Amino acid sequence: MRDDPYWNHNTHYHRWLLAQIPAGARTALDIGCGDGLLATKIARRGLTVHGVDVDPAILATVPPTPNLTVDKADFLDLPGTFDFVTAVASLHHVPLQDGLTALHRLVAPGGTLAVVGLWKFALRTDFPYLALLPAIVAFDTLHRPKRADPDAAMRDPEDTYREIRAAATEILPGARIRRRALLRYTLLWHKPAQVTPR
């Protein structure tokens, strides 16, 4: 977004993520919150936001913000539910089935889950995506950077887009998942107000 201190393939989707906040939402969880950039934006929308990350060093850089708390925590073990849950470039850091099951549990009935994720490139199924690579390089060149990205932990994804879609269809019925530009996918799921526990 225009006033962000830096830009990368993840912050590019902050506008999309903020547009998914459900009407009437009061609480939010940002998984893998890093330096708190997205969590701060959500808190400024009036929600009470909890950010979690496994890296205490990057959590120490989160600026004090009204309505925002952060903790060193693994979301797989996190209690409670939230009206709005975001996970940006964090789902691929845990086993896919475990991660999606935890996300299902963390979203309150009637709440919304919005994920921006990475997938393992598979030439056989992702070949058409190669045509976008020159445009991605050009887009990177145009937007880089106001300052360096925060030094967050990195991990290559292990699951293909097809595997992610299949698991999401099973665990998050009705989820909408799309390949996007900049080597990302988005997943949007609205949890029914009445659900059968998994």
Side-chain angles (χ1 to χ4, degrees):
M1 298 173 76
R2 185 180 300 274
D3 296 327
D4 286 354
Y6 57 87
W7 178 91
N8 59 37
H9 290 189
N10 299 323
T11 64
H12 178 76
Y13 289 99
H14 282 189
R15 190 181 306 275
W16 177 83
L17 289 156
L18 293 170
Q20 309 313 317
I21 297 174
R26 295 185 296 174
T27 60
L29 172 67
D30 185 25
I31 295 168
C33 67
D35 65 350
L37 184 60
L38 175 61
T40 297
K41 293 174 184 178
I42 298 171
R44 288 177 179 160
R45 300 291 180 99
L47 282 72
T48 299
V49 183
H50 187 59
V52 295
D53 203 291
V54 296
D55 182 354
I58 200 165
L59 286 173
T61 70
V62 177
T65 303
N67 302 325
L68 172 61
T69 58
V70 296
D71 280 313
K72 178 183 180 297
D74 185 336
F75 79 95
L76 296 180
D77 304 318
L78 203 65
T81 61
F82 302 83
D83 299 324
F84 183 52
V85 177
T86 58
V88 179
S90 52
L91 183 57
H92 69 282
H93 286 259
V94 300
L96 178 60
Q97 295 274 343
D98 294 346
L100 290 172
T101 300
L103 292 174
H104 183 285
R105 174 177 50 80
L106 289 165
V107 179
T112 295
L113 168 67
V115 174
V116 175
L118 292 76
W119 76 89
K120 180 180 179 180
F121 200 85
L123 189 59
R124 186 171 61 84
T125 55
D126 294 322
F127 181 79
Y129 202 90
L130 290 174
L132 294 177
L133 294 183
I136 292 171
V137 171
F139 202 73
D140 282 353
T141 302
L142 179 65
H143 286 83
R144 297 272 188 190
K146 296 178 184 177
R147 70 170 170 83
D149 299 1
D151 188 19
M154 306 289 281
R155 179 178 178 179
D156 291 331
E158 297 180 358
D159 301 297
T160 66
Y161 179 79
R162 181 174 290 179
E163 290 167 337
I164 295 165
R165 176 181 279 281
T169 299
E170 176 189 352
I171 297 170
L172 306 172
R176 289 183 288 165
I177 179 170
R178 292 180 51 191
R179 279 189 187 91
R180 298 278 190 159
L182 306 180
L183 303 171
R184 296 294 184 269
Y185 70 85
T186 58
L187 183 156
L188 183 65
W189 180 59
H190 303 291
K191 190 172 192 174
Q194 298 293 328
V195 297
T196 302
R198 291 192 64 80

